[in-house]
Amino acid sequence: MAVASVKSQILSGLKWNSLSVFATRGTDFLVKLVLARLLLPEAFGVVGMAMVIIGFLGVVSDMGLFNALVQKKQDAQTDDRYATAFWLLLALATGFVISFFVFLSPLGASFYNEPKLIPILNALSIYLFFSISDIVPRVILTRQLNFKKLVRISISGTAVSSVIAVVLALSGFGVWSLVMKYLVSAVTVSASYWLNIGWKPRFVFRRELLVQMAGYSTYTQINSILFYFRHNLDYLIIGKLMSAHVLGVYTLAFTLSEVLRAQLYSIFNKVFFPIYSKVQDDREQIKNYYLKIMKLTAILTFPVSIISIGLAEDLILVFFGEKWLEAVAPLQILSVASMIFAISGTPAEVLKGIGKPSVGFYLNLLNTFVVAVPLIYLGMKHFGLVGVAFAVCIHYTTSRISYHYFMKKYIQVTNKEVFEALKPPLFAAAIMFSIIYCIKMLDLKPIFNILFAGTAGLLAYSLYLIGEFKLAFIQLKKR
């Protein structure tokens, strides 16, 4: 694939997916601010319990087919692969909906000892159905690197669902305003995918095509399950051992700490997994992309994390009120965890793109059951939400270190190259934190701490790194 073509597709992907973050995730974040003001922590906790179950089954139902279909090179059998995958996924989606109404919803409610979950899980099974049924359309647009359409579809779903959620919350619908946000978004997005792809599934089902993809999809599927399980262990354990109120508080802290980092990670994953797949034989080019993305992610994530660490209490009081003050300490610790996660770039996408999904699988397996499970359980049992937050920090750290070892092995990334990439944002973050800390010593009111300390810290950070930020984009464009 020509370098100029790859560069053009990367820039297009970054542009449209960045727009998606600001339009969809920004809107989503603002809506959550409004809903947090209107609703109690219990509402967020109950929906959080339900979404752990729904999200897990969504990952399971994918069967690794999304990644396998994207990674598979185009050939004469591509359309048959799409059709076969579609009919299999449609059958699974229908089966899941029936299963929820028959026995899965009561089981989920029994696990959490929360009867309110039964109707909520039944309703969210419809969300799961639409999320599964549009996997093939998403594959087609992703393979085309048609990020413009993907973003427009995402924006439409967010806009419609956000308006409806706020109206319902203002009308006193409580937890159902959150449930309807998921449902409306799924229906809107799914319909938009099908209207935009210009493809209809033929009545074809070829078992041998599924078998051909099984080697790749099996590892990516199990890896996705482990990744989801590891990243939702905290929600699962808190929901099981504690109350919906406690889970709601933790959900807010985690959402705020991940507000930007997770979305940047999502952008770069969406853009670079298909790119890594296309240039999978050019390891030097992959390494250059990997280092540039590592640097950009750190530059963009660190200031938000530093503000959350230094001004957590002020942010909670001003934007959410005293009923959410229990989220302050977890927010600070999880913001450190977010910085740790951000400094590793996109290693999982590199491994998938170069055809090494098994490596990511084994790394996730070890980190999940040797590190994450025992630490989160012990942290919750002995230290509450603070203990869980520290456990997340530790298992993020072990995960990033292990991934780095294999980046050194497969794309020859050196420790020196990583240090050079991360040195500017780390130094700028230290300056920013020092400024915020000094202004906080003046003991101003929360709103003034946010305005003065936050603005001064961001200004210092931006002035220090503006040259580095421009250079990172220039270097990325040159590749």
Side-chain angles (χ1 to χ4, degrees):
M1 188 178 193
V3 173
S5 175
V6 174
K7 181 186 76 172
S8 174
Q9 290 167 338
I10 288 174
L11 294 177
S12 174
L14 290 174
K15 178 181 74 174
W16 286 107
N17 280 285
S18 296
L19 174 62
S20 176
V21 166
F22 289 108
T24 62
R25 303 303 182 179
T27 300
D28 191 57
F29 179 66
L30 291 175
V31 169
K32 284 183 178 178
L33 288 181
V34 174
L35 294 177
R37 273 288 188 182
L38 297 172
L39 305 175
L40 294 172
E42 285 81 356
F44 281 82
V46 170
V47 173
M49 291 174 180
M51 287 310 298
V52 169
I53 298 171
I54 294 291
F56 173 74
L57 291 176
V59 173
V60 171
S61 63
D62 173 71
M63 299 181 68
L65 289 174
F66 179 87
N67 288 323
L69 289 169
V70 171
Q71 201 270 346
K72 194 75 174 176
K73 292 181 180 179
Q74 195 89 7
D75 58 29
Q77 296 181 319
T78 294
D79 194 63
D80 284 356
R81 271 194 293 270
Y82 289 163
T84 299
F86 170 77
W87 294 117
L88 176 63
L89 292 168
L90 183 63
L92 282 171
T94 304
F96 274 130
V97 172
I98 295 171
S99 298
F100 267 98
F101 279 86
V102 174
F103 66 90
L104 285 179
S105 293
L107 279 178
S110 176
F111 174 81
Y112 284 116
N113 195 28
E114 182 56 76
K116 295 178 183 177
L117 276 179
I118 293 178
I120 291 172
L121 283 169
N122 286 339
L124 287 173
S125 68
I126 308 300
Y127 158 84
L128 180 62
F129 175 87
F130 284 102
S131 297
I132 296 171
S133 63
D134 63 30
I135 286 175
V136 174
R138 282 193 288 121
V139 167
I140 293 172
L141 291 177
T142 301
R143 281 190 59 87
Q144 294 171 354
L145 300 179
N146 196 334
F147 300 111
K148 183 177 180 179
K149 280 188 178 180
L150 288 167
V151 169
R152 285 179 172 176
I153 290 169
S154 180
I155 289 174
S156 68
T158 299
V160 174
S161 63
S162 295
V163 170
I164 290 176
V166 173
V167 170
L168 290 174
L170 288 170
S171 302
F173 281 83
V175 68
W176 285 98
S177 59
L178 288 167
V179 174
M180 289 304 297
K181 186 177 187 304
Y182 285 104
L183 285 176
V184 173
S185 178
V187 172
T188 305
V189 167
S190 186
S192 299
Y193 277 131
W194 284 105
L195 290 172
N196 277 278
I197 61 169
W199 176 82
K200 293 181 180 179
R202 296 183 296 112
F203 290 101
V204 173
F205 189 87
R206 295 176 56 188
R207 183 175 176 276
E208 68 272 17
L209 294 179
L210 292 175
V211 173
Q212 289 173 11
M213 293 186 287
Y216 185 91
S217 64
T218 298
Y219 276 117
T220 57
Q221 170 66 352
I222 299 175
N223 193 31
S224 295
I225 292 171
L226 284 171
F227 186 84
Y228 182 85
F229 181 62
R230 191 184 73 194
H231 282 266
N232 287 275
L233 265 176
D234 39 5
Y235 287 89
L236 188 66
I237 292 174
I238 294 169
K240 176 64 177 174
L241 298 181
M242 305 298 285
S243 64
H245 171 87
V246 175
L247 181 59
V249 170
Y250 184 82
T251 298
L252 180 68
F254 196 89
T255 300
L256 291 176
S257 68
E258 296 284 293
V259 63
L260 180 61
R261 198 279 310 162
Q263 308 322 318
L264 288 174
Y265 201 69
S266 175
I267 289 175
F268 294 136
N269 283 355
K270 289 176 182 177
V271 174
F272 281 92
F273 170 51
I275 294 295
Y276 290 147
S277 297
K278 285 180 179 290
V279 299
Q280 57 189 273
D281 297 323
D282 189 345
R283 300 301 168 88
E284 185 64 25
Q285 191 173 8
I286 290 175
K287 181 175 82 168
N288 276 280
Y289 289 144
Y290 175 76
L291 287 170
K292 299 304 179 290
I293 294 310
M294 176 188 292
K295 188 172 189 175
L296 277 174
T297 305
I299 288 173
L300 294 171
T301 300
F302 282 9
V304 176
S305 295
I306 293 299
I307 285 177
S308 296
I309 294 168
L311 298 170
E313 184 174 353
D314 304 289
L315 291 169
I316 295 295
L317 284 171
V318 171
F319 292 108
F320 302 99
E322 292 185 2
K323 63 184 179 182
W324 291 97
L325 274 176
E326 294 169 84
V328 171
L331 172 57
Q332 291 174 315
I333 301 164
L334 289 170
S335 295
V336 175
S338 184
M339 294 177 73
I340 292 169
F341 200 100
I343 63 177
S344 66
T346 53
E349 307 312 303
V350 170
L351 292 173
K352 288 191 295 184
I354 65 175
K356 300 286 185 181
S358 59
V359 175
F361 161 69
Y362 288 117
L363 289 180
N364 274 335
L365 183 68
L366 287 172
N367 199 53
T368 297
F369 293 104
V370 176
V371 181
V373 171
L375 282 181
I376 291 176
Y377 174 78
L378 292 173
M380 180 74 253
K381 186 175 181 180
H382 296 289
F383 304 102
L385 292 183
V386 171
V388 174
F390 272 117
V392 170
C393 261
I394 295 170
H395 86 73
Y396 276 11
T397 302
T398 58
S399 172
R400 298 305 94 185
I401 291 173
S402 57
Y403 268 113
H404 176 60
Y405 170 82
F406 285 98
M407 291 302 96
K408 291 166 68 175
K409 178 178 179 180
Y410 288 118
I411 60 173
Q412 289 75 54
V413 171
T414 66
N415 294 333
K416 181 179 179 182
E417 287 171 325
V418 170
F419 176 73
E420 290 298 322
L422 295 177
K423 182 170 64 173
L426 284 170
F427 189 71
I431 294 173
M432 181 179 177
F433 182 79
S434 299
I435 291 172
I436 290 175
Y437 181 80
C438 289
I439 294 177
K440 282 272 291 182
M441 295 286 286
L442 299 176
D443 199 26
L444 303 173
K445 290 184 177 180
I447 185 64
F448 294 118
N449 278 332
I450 294 171
L451 290 174
F452 297 143
T455 301
L458 281 174
L459 182 61
Y461 186 92
S462 301
L463 289 174
Y464 182 84
L465 280 180
I466 189 167
E468 293 287 343
F469 185 75
K470 290 180 178 178
L471 179 62
F473 264 113
I474 291 171
Q475 290 175 330
L476 188 62
K477 288 167 68 176
K478 284 182 178 179
R479 295 298 302 174

